[in-house]
Amino acid sequence: GSFSSPESNLPSPVKQEQAKAETLPDLNAKILYEDWDDVPPSSALEEISEEEAVQIIAEPLLPLQSSTLRDYVDHSETLAKLVHLGVDLSQVEKRQKAGQLLLTLDFEKDIRKILLFLKDVGIEDNQLGPFLTKNPYILAEDLEALETRVAYLKSKKFSKAEITQMVSRAPYLLLFSVERLDNRLGFFKNELGLSVKKTKDLVIRLPRLLTGKLEPVKENLQICQIELGFQRNEIQQIVFKTPKILTASKKRLKQTFDYLHNIMGIPHHMLTRFPQVFNSKLLRIRERHMFLTFLGRAQYDPAQPSYISLDQLVSLPDEVFCTEIAKASTQDFEKFLKTL
């Protein structure tokens, strides 16, 4: 989808003629404006006495040049209602042209229908504000286009709960056209040789794979194959178990592999069985491995009786790691770390 906004500075919002009392659509919101409808609006042509003229309180002038959306809240019913929803304007204005965009939208005409759509997708009331803070651009999208994208995901057999989870975790997901989403799903299916079911599972767990850039993903796949020496079927298993490896820092990926494989002697097939080790901090791996080496317990061969799995090495909290794996006290471990 596309969204266009004027290039100029923030435009002066047009003041609504009357602020009528109304509540937001099923959002348990309090009434934002008191209802003065029982007093008819005065005609511009009606003559008034000097006493009445003195009593008229002038409306505060709109900020002419403003760098912050906060200055507009008192003058814009739309902004006031978005703030009430929990939208953080200070974050929104950091996003390119998002501030200008919000000032061109009308709450009733443009925004209410998108809120109802998001609620229908499964975004909870208390999540609407945080969601729109991250992706204000969705408010300018064509409703039919948004519904088509959700229908596409349903046609690919994503359940309602899965779609809710994906949209919540990757707020930009619904800005992408059906063609783009289809190409992305096709890329991961073909590049990794995954079944349809496994491809779906992958993007449900890490939906930003559908919205982020593909270049880093392609580079990480190449690193795994060419530099780290994994086979294609091993890469498939690694990615399926640990999708984050596709977006991990290249430097960290290489350093962690180098330590595990070349220093600790862990073979490729073992790393394939427990790729979650790549999510661990290298410092944690190194400290624990050195402590086990110091104690003569660094045994990572499953054929040996004193075998320690990579899971046990990195996943356990210090206390359990020390008592159950290293057979030592946490004080011993802390003392050892001071000698490094």
Side-chain angles (χ1 to χ4, degrees):
S2 62
F3 39 84
S4 54
S5 353
E7 288 289 343
S8 60
N9 282 332
L10 297 176
S12 293
V14 179
K15 184 180 174 295
Q16 305 288 332
E17 277 188 12
Q18 252 180 307
K20 262 185 125 179
E22 55 204 289
T23 53
L24 301 176
D26 300 325
L27 301 181
N28 307 324
K30 293 172 187 163
I31 293 175
L32 296 172
Y33 299 92
E34 288 187 38
D35 197 340
W36 297 108
D37 261 6
D38 51 338
V39 182
S42 58
S43 161
L45 302 173
E46 197 179 314
E47 286 191 22
I48 55 171
S49 67
E50 278 187 34
E51 292 84 22
E52 285 176 317
V54 171
Q55 286 174 347
I56 291 173
I57 299 164
E59 281 283 333
L61 288 170
L62 288 176
L64 295 174
Q65 283 292 329
S66 172
S67 58
T68 157
L69 283 174
R70 271 273 158 210
D71 298 343
Y72 287 82
V73 172
D74 293 341
H75 313 284
S76 164
E77 185 182 6
T78 295
L79 287 187
K81 287 187 174 181
L82 288 173
V83 168
H84 192 85
L85 264 180
V87 175
D88 183 346
L89 297 182
S90 67
Q91 292 302 313
V92 169
E93 62 198 5
K94 289 177 187 171
R95 303 186 187 283
Q96 196 179 8
K97 295 186 182 175
Q100 297 167 347
L101 177 75
L102 291 190
L103 288 172
T104 62
L105 297 175
D106 176 86
F107 192 87
E108 291 307 316
K109 194 161 67 69
D110 307 312
I111 294 177
R112 187 185 285 272
K113 61 188 177 190
I114 303 293
L115 294 178
L116 292 171
F117 163 77
L118 289 172
K119 281 169 66 68
D120 195 48
V121 167
I123 305 294
E124 298 284 340
D125 292 353
N126 62 356
Q127 287 304 307
L128 285 168
F131 181 90
L132 293 173
T133 300
K134 288 178 191 149
N135 179 12
Y137 306 111
I138 199 166
L139 294 173
E141 285 289 292
D142 176 62
L143 182 60
E144 208 174 311
L146 292 172
E147 287 167 343
T148 303
R149 290 160 201 167
V150 171
Y152 165 76
L153 292 171
K154 285 180 180 168
S155 78
K156 292 293 174 188
K157 303 289 185 281
F158 288 97
S159 70
K160 185 167 175 21
E162 287 164 351
I163 293 170
T164 303
Q165 183 184 326
M166 289 162 71
V167 172
S168 300
R169 291 172 65 184
Y172 284 116
L173 183 65
L174 294 178
L175 294 187
F176 294 106
S177 67
V178 166
E179 293 75 21
R180 162 92 184 244
L181 292 171
D182 199 55
N183 287 340
R184 274 302 163 90
L185 286 169
F187 169 82
F188 288 108
K189 181 179 179 299
N190 300 330
E191 196 71 22
L192 298 165
L194 295 174
S195 65
V196 171
K197 186 182 180 308
K198 284 196 166 182
T199 306
K200 272 178 54 190
D201 189 72
L202 182 74
V203 297
I204 289 165
R205 282 153 59 213
L206 196 64
R208 70 166 184 263
L209 289 175
L210 294 177
T211 60
K213 290 186 174 137
L214 274 186
E215 279 317 304
V217 171
K218 288 176 180 171
E219 285 168 15
N220 278 10
L221 286 171
Q222 275 197 315
I223 285 169
C224 286
Q225 192 166 355
I226 297 161
E227 294 185 43
L228 311 187
F230 286 101
Q231 300 299 313
R232 183 174 157 83
N233 66 325
E234 289 175 329
I235 294 171
Q236 190 186 76
Q237 290 175 60
I238 288 168
V239 168
F240 187 68
K241 287 179 190 166
T242 316
K244 276 186 186 168
I245 211 159
L246 291 172
T247 54
S249 140
K250 293 170 203 34
K251 185 181 171 190
R252 192 177 143 190
L253 188 58
K254 290 193 266 195
Q255 285 177 339
T256 306
F257 173 83
D258 182 57
Y259 194 82
L260 289 163
H261 185 65
N262 298 323
I263 308 288
M264 292 170 59
I266 312 285
H268 285 83
H269 70 89
M270 294 282 293
L271 293 171
T272 304
R273 274 179 56 192
F274 190 73
Q276 293 89 331
V277 72
F278 286 106
N279 288 341
S280 304
K281 287 196 170 81
L282 180 54
L283 181 66
R284 182 189 187 96
I285 298 169
R286 203 172 72 225
E287 287 177 346
R288 290 186 173 193
H289 168 66
M290 290 175 81
F291 186 49
L292 291 172
T293 304
F294 169 72
L295 297 170
R297 292 186 176 278
Q299 178 52 263
Y300 309 113
D301 180 354
Q304 300 301 319
S306 53
Y307 160 65
I308 292 167
S309 72
L310 291 176
D311 188 10
Q312 291 170 319
L313 180 72
V314 298
S315 304
L316 300 171
D318 277 351
E319 200 176 314
V320 183
F321 166 74
C322 289
T323 53
E324 292 186 17
I325 308 304
K327 314 286 188 213
S329 68
T330 44
Q331 288 83 358
D332 290 338
F333 186 39
E334 282 158 15
K335 262 188 229 163
F336 172 76
L337 293 182
K338 283 175 186 163
T339 68
L340 295 182

